[in-house]
Amino acid sequence: MIRRALCIFALFATACGSESDPDAGMLFDDPHLVPEVNLACINYQRVEVGGSATFGVTLRNDGRPQLTISAASVEEDTRGHLSLQGPDPLTIESTESAVMQIVYRPQAEGWDIGRVKITSDASNYPEPFELFVLALARPAGDDGSNDPGPPPPEAE
């Protein structure tokens, strides 16, 4: 009975980390992308026309080998008000993270939508990972009484 309990304990200890990194948790045999979020909502921040807001997204590698990000881009940006900074670095070691910044610089009031597409060698995303972005630009000097109307249908 004790021998069986020790075997089970050893199995869990091996599967859920190691002595060298007790916080590592379960690691995959291939690069494994774990984004912090799947939706970036910049509309909860007050962003006025001509201003800017930055939304940070953390990308983690839960695989044993290094994860390589080969491309990151903004696509389907309805009005051209979104851009990217990063991710930095483009290679993410096992259990490490990289940060990507979505920058929103609206030039006109209203809703903006777009997608951030991340291409990598992650085994869990053989197709590029896509992050949906929803943002709202308010008129300069808006006191909160301006009703922007409902978000675009693509946001639902």
Side-chain angles (χ1 to χ4, degrees):
M1 183 70 158
I2 294 175
R3 179 183 237 175
R4 183 175 178 183
L6 289 174
C7 288
I8 291 172
F9 176 76
L11 178 64
F12 282 119
T14 302
C16 297
S18 68
E19 210 171 281
S20 62
D21 188 0
D23 297 326
M26 187 172 139
L27 294 176
F28 296 88
D29 290 332
D30 297 318
H32 197 83
L33 177 65
V34 181
E36 178 184 48
V37 295
N38 288 325
L39 170 67
C41 287
I42 302 176
N43 64 324
Y44 72 88
Q45 298 178 12
R46 180 169 295 284
V47 184
E48 293 184 353
V49 173
S52 69
T54 302
F55 188 88
V57 177
T58 301
L59 306 170
R60 190 179 72 239
N61 178 14
D62 277 358
R64 286 185 180 92
Q66 172 179 287
L67 170 73
T68 301
I69 297 172
S70 54
S73 60
V74 174
E75 299 188 0
E76 301 175 31
D77 181 3
T78 55
R79 302 192 305 165
H81 298 164
L82 298 166
S83 63
L84 283 180
Q85 293 176 346
D88 188 33
L90 290 175
T91 55
I92 308 172
E93 298 299 327
S94 180
T95 71
E96 297 295 319
S97 299
V99 176
M100 172 179 65
Q101 304 289 335
I102 301 169
V103 181
Y104 180 50
R105 288 189 179 93
Q107 300 304 308
E109 65 183 87
W111 291 99
D112 288 287
I113 61 169
R115 293 186 189 278
V116 173
K117 188 179 272 191
I118 301 169
T119 305
S120 73
D121 62 352
S123 62
N124 61 323
Y125 287 104
E127 299 294 320
F129 168 75
E130 291 188 4
L131 175 68
F132 184 76
V133 180
L134 176 65
L136 175 61
R138 300 193 176 269
D142 179 35
D143 61 2
S145 61
N146 177 27
D147 180 8
E154 297 89 342
E156 297 175 5

